[in-house]
Amino acid sequence: MELILFLLFAVIAVACGINLVVQKHPISSALSLIGVMGSLAVLYLLLGAEFLAAAQLIVYAGAIMVLFVFVIMLLNAGTEPRARYRSYAKVFGIGALVAFLGLIAYIVQSFLPPTEGVQFGKFTGGGADKIGIKLFTDYLLPFEIVSVLILIAVFGAIVLARKEIE
Amino acid sequence: MLQPASVPLSWYLILSAILFGLGIAGFLLRRNIITVFMSIELMLNAVNLSFITFS
């Protein structure tokens, strides 16, 4: 069951990722990216990270993609012209891509120590309560540093977006 | 005894590598700046998947 779910959503994620790169119009790419985010949320749920799956759906597939679609529609982005590539560049690029993916698969399969399989419900501790306790006890300093970083980003957005007042 | 319905951990890493490669391809090949940014988001999500796999 887990294998079927993993394979189904991995294939959906890879297909949507290929569609993202291939499509000409940015709206089509954005919709494909929503598909990638949703299937990745299901994969997080399979890995036992419940809070991160919910956050992925709410923050990425909800908020950030709405922002993307708004920006695309406000900028009125059209289809981009088809780029011309040399034929030997195509052949060499596809060959290099296949070699790269094969090399990574070989390295992961052979050099990493063999691990037991992932089972649904085996890993616990991905809930919101556990993450909150960890965040406010062990990882308090990185949490505060990230909050300062977000504050700096907010200040930067205000400075960049404000009208010049003479 | 081997559990019949378990997913090897390395498959998640291979999926993460494939998504990261797709993000790099989109980042290098596309001209539109919004699509380039979406490819960066794709790479970010691939790295997140490998982090959660290792956790």
Side-chain angles (χ1 to χ4, degrees), chain B residues 24-39:
Chain B
I24 288 179
F27 181 73
L28 292 178
L29 293 181
R30 298 306 297 265
R31 306 285 169 81
N32 199 339
I33 190 144
I34 299 171
T35 316
V36 169
F37 194 50
M38 280 192 277
S39 304

Side-chain angles (χ1 to χ4, degrees), chain A residues 129-143:
Chain A
D129 48 351
K130 300 276 180 52
I131 286 183
I133 289 170
K134 274 291 195 187
L135 209 57
F136 282 103
T137 53
D138 292 344
Y139 300 104
L140 187 59
L141 185 63
F143 181 73

Side-chain angles (χ1 to χ4, degrees), chain A residues 2 21 23 26 56 80 118, chain B residues 5 7 9 30 32 41 45:
Chain A
E2 288 88 2
V21 178
Q23 285 287 336
Q56 171 94 1
E80 65 181 281
V118 177
Chain B
V7 182
L9 213 56
R30 298 306 297 265
N32 199 339
E41 290 283 334
N45 273 281

Side-chain angles (χ1 to χ4, degrees), chain B residues 15-55:
Chain B
L15 172 69
S16 172
I18 290 173
L19 285 181
F20 194 82
L22 280 173
I24 288 179
F27 181 73
L28 292 178
L29 293 181
R30 298 306 297 265
R31 306 285 169 81
N32 199 339
I33 190 144
I34 299 171
T35 316
V36 169
F37 194 50
M38 280 192 277
S39 304
I40 295 175
E41 290 283 334
L42 187 64
M43 284 193 273
L44 199 74
N45 273 281
V47 174
N48 274 339
L49 180 64
S50 65
F51 277 162
I52 293 174
T53 306
F54 277 125
S55 75

Side-chain angles (χ1 to χ4, degrees), chain A residues 69-126:
Chain A
V69 173
F70 265 126
V71 167
I72 289 169
M73 289 188 175
L74 280 179
L75 289 183
N76 203 6
T79 61
E80 65 181 281
R82 200 76 186 148
R84 294 269 170 210
Y85 298 113
R86 307 278 170 83
S87 59
Y88 68 87
K90 271 184 194 169
V91 170
F92 184 72
I94 290 173
L97 180 67
V98 169
F100 174 70
L101 287 180
L103 187 67
I104 284 185
Y106 174 70
I107 288 173
V108 167
Q109 285 279 13
S110 60
F111 289 115
L112 260 65
T115 54
E116 70 272 25
V118 177
Q119 282 193 312
F120 188 66
K122 197 167 135 193
F123 293 123
T124 54

Side-chain angles (χ1 to χ4, degrees), chain A residues 6-16, chain B residues 15:
Chain A
F6 172 79
L7 285 179
L8 177 66
F9 284 100
V11 166
I12 289 176
V14 171
C16 286
Chain B
L15 172 69

Side-chain angles (χ1 to χ4, degrees), chain A residues 8-17 19-20 27-43 56-57 60-61 65, chain B residues 19 42 45:
Chain A
L8 177 66
F9 284 100
V11 166
I12 289 176
V14 171
C16 286
N19 197 28
L20 189 154
I27 285 286
S28 312
S29 298
L31 292 180
S32 312
L33 191 56
I34 292 177
V36 175
M37 305 275 184
S39 48
L40 277 183
V42 177
L43 290 181
Q56 171 94 1
L57 273 186
Y60 270 111
M65 294 317 296
Chain B
L19 285 181
L42 187 64
N45 273 281

